[in-house]
Amino acid sequence: MKTRCSFCDDHAIYVLKSRKIRLCKKHFIDYVRTEVENTIYRFEMLKNVKKLLIAVSGGKDSVTMLHILHQVCKELNIEMLGLVIDTGIGEFSRRQVDVAITLFKMFKIDYRVESFSSYGIDILRPDLERKVRRPPCSICGIAKRYIMNKVAIEENCQAIATGHNMIDIAQYAIANILTGNVEYLRKLLPKTEEGPKMARRIRPLYFIDEKETKLYVETLRLPYVSETCPLAHKRDTMQDTVRMFVRELEDKHPGSIRHFVEKLSNKIINMLPMEEDRYSTCKICGMPSKGEICSFCKIRMALRE
Ligand SMILES: [Zn+2]
Ligand SMILES: [Zn+2]
């Protein structure tokens, strides 16, 4: 016997356990879209935004975000610019760039392709970790954030949208609590405030499970890169263990992680002391920096030595 959708006679493809509802294709797509739109309006993510930079890696999350945002932006008359970053990890990165460009063309969105190599970063260099004294994933994260912000400033985009999902947010938050870096929790808000030469960051998928973005792209048959980064397989870090814990918690106690990110966004973060924004300007590149030289320029300098 087939399971029926809670809202119509169609066959259910997804069970939203935390709300005890079953959804057919149409009602599942509607549910994801409504959740994302509600998040955008609730946190005023697009307030005063005339042009939005949307960072697409080609994975299920950013593809879902692009599909929903391109409709939202159309309705709100907001200009969009796509960005894909070629991280130089062989065939994997080539696939990411191909998929992103296919989607930008499909949705008729202007786009830019940036590559790590044009900034002098070769993420596959055998001596990378020894020279920079950071793991490749950390270097990749810093470089991506820097490039996204630089492109947003150059292109007059007031905000940057990234596809972090609910599981990513919970993982980062719990890992930061475990290491005692609670000041970083402020960076995990659904929306961060803009500053001089610093565009606003928004995370429209804040309350969306990774299982839902996978089903979303598969149901709509959107192209996406299903492989995960080959460099991530080589690790067995605390972050990986925390992620498994977050996944297991949400599966065994549906809604628990959603409840956690909800509390994180409106309660936990507000209980932290306001961090003073002591941003100055990087002596080398002129972009915002906490120290005299920004983390990105420090990486590039270490690699030149
Ligand atoms: Zn239905
Ligand atoms: Zn710099």
Side-chain angles (χ1 to χ4, degrees):
M1 198 181 77
K2 278 184 176 176
T3 325
R4 299 268 156 229
C5 170
S6 303
F7 302 99
C8 72
D9 284 336
D10 282 343
H11 165 57
I13 58 157
Y14 186 66
V15 182
L16 186 55
K17 287 185 187 146
S18 58
R19 295 186 203 167
K20 298 188 173 65
I21 48 174
R22 298 175 308 277
L23 302 165
C24 67
K25 275 187 186 179
K26 180 195 173 293
H27 283 108
F28 169 73
I29 298 297
D30 282 355
Y31 151 74
V32 176
R33 196 170 293 171
T34 308
E35 280 292 298
V36 173
E37 286 178 4
N38 287 346
T39 306
I40 291 170
Y41 292 114
R42 179 179 159 198
F43 295 97
E44 301 186 314
M45 290 183 171
L46 296 174
K47 197 180 175 186
N48 300 324
V49 173
K50 291 190 185 73
K51 190 173 175 185
L52 176 70
L53 184 70
I54 173 156
V56 174
S57 68
K60 60 192 182 357
D61 300 324
S62 60
V63 172
T64 300
M65 174 176 72
L66 179 67
H67 189 257
I68 299 173
L69 273 182
H70 112 275
Q71 286 165 330
V72 173
C73 287
K74 215 181 231 174
E75 283 161 27
L76 296 175
N77 210 8
I78 293 171
E79 194 184 337
M80 284 184 94
L81 179 70
L83 170 67
V84 58
I85 300 174
D86 181 350
T87 50
I89 308 171
E91 188 50 35
F92 173 69
S93 300
R94 275 192 287 277
R95 281 264 302 137
Q96 289 187 306
V97 175
D98 281 351
V99 167
I101 293 178
T102 303
L103 288 158
F104 294 144
K105 286 182 176 164
M106 200 157 114
F107 298 135
K108 298 186 171 63
I109 297 168
D110 280 343
Y111 62 90
R112 268 180 64 170
V113 183
E114 292 284 309
S115 54
F116 277 9
S117 61
S118 66
Y119 293 90
I121 293 176
D122 174 2
I123 208 89
L124 298 178
R125 239 172 96 157
D127 61 352
L128 181 89
E129 210 164 336
R130 187 175 57 78
K131 286 222 165 201
V132 184
R133 289 192 212 156
R134 281 179 187 275
C137 297
S138 156
I139 298 169
C140 183
I142 291 169
K144 276 186 192 162
R145 282 191 294 275
Y146 181 92
I147 295 169
M148 281 192 281
N149 186 58
K150 182 176 161 283
V151 171
I153 298 303
E154 283 171 7
E155 301 280 353
N156 274 318
C157 299
Q158 292 80 25
I160 307 164
T162 58
H164 296 101
N165 64 53
M166 177 180 95
I167 303 293
D168 299 327
I169 302 290
Q171 176 200 329
Y172 300 151
I174 293 169
N176 280 323
I177 292 168
L178 290 175
T179 53
N181 293 322
V182 282
E183 67 276 14
Y184 285 114
L185 291 178
R186 279 203 177 275
K187 295 191 175 165
L188 296 176
L189 280 165
K191 175 180 91 172
T192 63
E193 288 311 319
E194 54 270 43
K197 284 198 183 179
M198 190 139 51
R200 176 191 302 173
R201 294 268 305 273
I202 62 169
R203 298 175 172 125
L205 306 183
Y206 204 84
F207 297 108
I208 301 292
D209 193 326
E210 59 188 354
K211 286 182 174 173
E212 295 167 346
T213 57
K214 186 164 189 288
L215 190 56
Y216 189 94
V217 293
E218 285 177 353
T219 303
L220 293 177
R221 295 174 192 275
L222 295 167
Y224 79 103
V225 180
S226 55
E227 305 91 321
T228 48
C229 175
L231 295 185
H233 295 312
K234 290 185 186 157
R235 304 177 310 152
D236 187 15
T237 61
M238 188 191 75
Q239 288 282 356
D240 300 332
T241 313
V242 171
R243 189 168 191 97
M244 283 191 284
F245 161 74
V246 169
R247 186 67 268 163
E248 197 179 335
L249 199 61
E250 181 61 22
D251 290 340
K252 286 192 178 159
H253 305 278
S256 57
I257 292 300
R258 200 197 145 92
H259 183 75
F260 173 65
V261 294
E262 174 67 43
K263 290 293 161 200
L264 180 74
S265 72
N266 66 26
K267 187 176 175 188
I268 301 174
I269 286 171
N270 291 330
M271 289 165 77
L272 295 170
M274 267 301 250
E275 206 194 343
E276 266 180 79
D277 270 339
R278 272 165 296 164
Y279 277 102
S280 54
T281 303
C282 171
K283 279 205 300 197
I284 296 173
C285 69
M287 295 303 278
S289 169
K290 291 232 162 173
E292 284 203 329
I293 298 170
C294 76
S295 318
F296 186 68
C297 287
K298 276 186 196 157
I299 291 171
R300 297 175 72 192
M301 277 162 61
L303 289 174
R304 273 198 301 265
E305 271 164 20

